[in-house]
Amino acid sequence: MRTKFIFTSNTDLRAQIWAWRRSGETTAFVPTMGALHPGHLSLIAKAKRHASKVVASIYVNETQFAKGEDLNTYPRNHEQDCKMLKQAGCDLVYLPKSMYGDHHSTTINVGGPALGLETAHRPHFFAGVALIVTKLFNCVQPDMAIFGEKDYQQLLTIRRMVSDLDMPIQILGAPIVRELDGLAMSSRNQYLDETGRMIAGQLNLILGACAKNIMDGTDIKTASQNAQHDIIKAGFDSVDYVAVADTKSLELLSKKRKGRPARLLIAAHCKGIRLIDNCALN
Ligand code: PAF
C-alpha cells in the first residue's frame, strides 16, 4: 500500500510515525516555512543520510514575526514545495493549517545562545521559533532534526533548548548552501531587486575578508569596524552587527584565542531586506 505523502492532521501524522517506529524505522525531521530552495533540499539530503524516514513540515509561523514584518507577504507556494520535497526523497510532509488554538497562552522563554545578536534586533524571534519547534517536535516525535547553519544562532538556541528541556531528539547542523556569487541561500533573497541582488552578493566576500583579517591577527574590534565600513561602501543600507562569538555558547569574544573555536556573524540590510551570514573562524 502506498503511504500518504501530505498530512494536515496531527492525529494521522502520529499514527503514521508510530507505525514506522513499530517497524523499526528511524525518523529525521526538517522543519521549514516553505519557499524552498536548494539549501532546504540539502537538509533533506542530510536527513536521508541519518535516518530511514524523512519528515518535513511547512508552516509559516506567526509567532516568530513581529508586527510590521513580512508575515503576510512571506512567499507561499506549498504545492511547488511539496513537489520539491517528494523529488528530494522526503517520505512525508506535515502541512498543518494552523498550529495555535484560539486560547493558546503558553510561551517558552529562551536564554543562553538566544541572547544578543539577532535578539537585540528581533526580540520576539527566538521565543517564537522555540515555541513552534517544540510544538512540531511534539507532533512529529522525531529521533533527530536538521537545522541549517545559515541561521547559526537559531541552531544553537534549539540545541540548548532540547538539552535543557530533556527532549530526546538529536539536533544536527548542516552547512550553508550558497549561490554562485557566494550569497547564502534564503527564502527572503527573492525579495531583492536586481540592484539589491548585486549588492547582496558582496556580503559573503566581506565576511570572508573579515574572517581572514582576524585569522591573520587583526584585532576583532578593528576587523569588525572595517567590515561594517565595507558593507556600507558596497551599497547596503545599514549593519545590525558584525560580531565574533564562541562556536558553542555564542558568548561574544573581543579577542581570538588559540584553541577556542569561534564564529564570525553578520547581519545587514540591503535595499530594505535583512540578510544574515556567518562562517567559522579557523
Ligand atoms: O528556519 C526556519 O525556517 C524557521 O525558523 C523554523 C525553524 C522552520 C521555525 O519556524
Side-chain angles (χ1 to χ4, degrees), residues 7 9-21 25-32 53-58 92-96 99 132-146 168-169:
F7 284 68
S9 137
N10 183 7
T11 320
D12 295 351
L13 169 76
R14 281 203 181 159
Q16 179 59 75
I17 302 276
W18 278 97
W20 280 339
R21 185 154 293 163
E25 311 280 7
T26 52
T27 309
F29 176 46
V30 178
T32 82
K53 293 290 178 195
V54 175
V55 174
S57 63
I58 302 174
L92 186 161
V93 182
Y94 183 40
L95 188 64
M99 285 294 289
I132 192 67
V133 168
T134 301
K135 284 169 72 65
L136 289 167
F137 281 177
N138 286 335
C139 297
V140 177
Q141 304 186 347
D143 297 292
M144 66 200 77
I146 327 288
I169 301 169

Side-chain angles (χ1 to χ4, degrees), residues 141-210:
Q141 304 186 347
D143 297 292
M144 66 200 77
I146 327 288
F147 291 83
E149 286 180 353
K150 193 192 74 92
D151 297 287
Y152 193 76
Q153 193 175 6
Q154 168 173 279
L155 166 66
L156 293 194
T157 300
I158 300 296
R159 212 172 247 155
R160 174 65 62 85
M161 177 185 79
V162 160
S163 162
D164 287 350
L165 301 185
D166 306 310
M167 297 180 182
I169 301 169
Q170 192 189 356
I171 303 300
L172 303 178
I176 299 175
V177 177
R178 297 183 179 279
E179 303 285 357
L180 283 179
D181 64 353
L183 176 65
M185 288 194 184
S186 161
S187 305
R188 288 187 169 104
N189 287 353
Q190 57 184 277
Y191 294 151
L192 293 162
D193 63 15
E194 213 176 308
T195 320
R197 177 61 191 81
M198 269 171 61
I199 296 169
Q202 299 294 306
L203 193 62
N204 158 70
L205 300 177
I206 297 167
L207 177 82
C210 181

Side-chain angles (χ1 to χ4, degrees), residues 12 18 48 72 111 125 145 163 169 205-206 212 230 271 278:
D12 295 351
W18 278 97
K48 280 176 74 64
N72 293 330
F125 181 65
S163 162
I169 301 169
L205 300 177
I206 297 167
K212 185 172 182 311
D230 291 346
K271 302 277 169 207
N278 69 84

Side-chain angles (χ1 to χ4, degrees), residues 3 11 55-56 63 81 113 116 146 164 170 182 189 196 228 241 254 277:
T3 312
T11 320
V55 174
T63 63
D81 289 340
I146 327 288
D164 287 350
Q170 192 189 356
N189 287 353
Q228 295 201 23
Y241 56 80
S254 54
D277 203 344

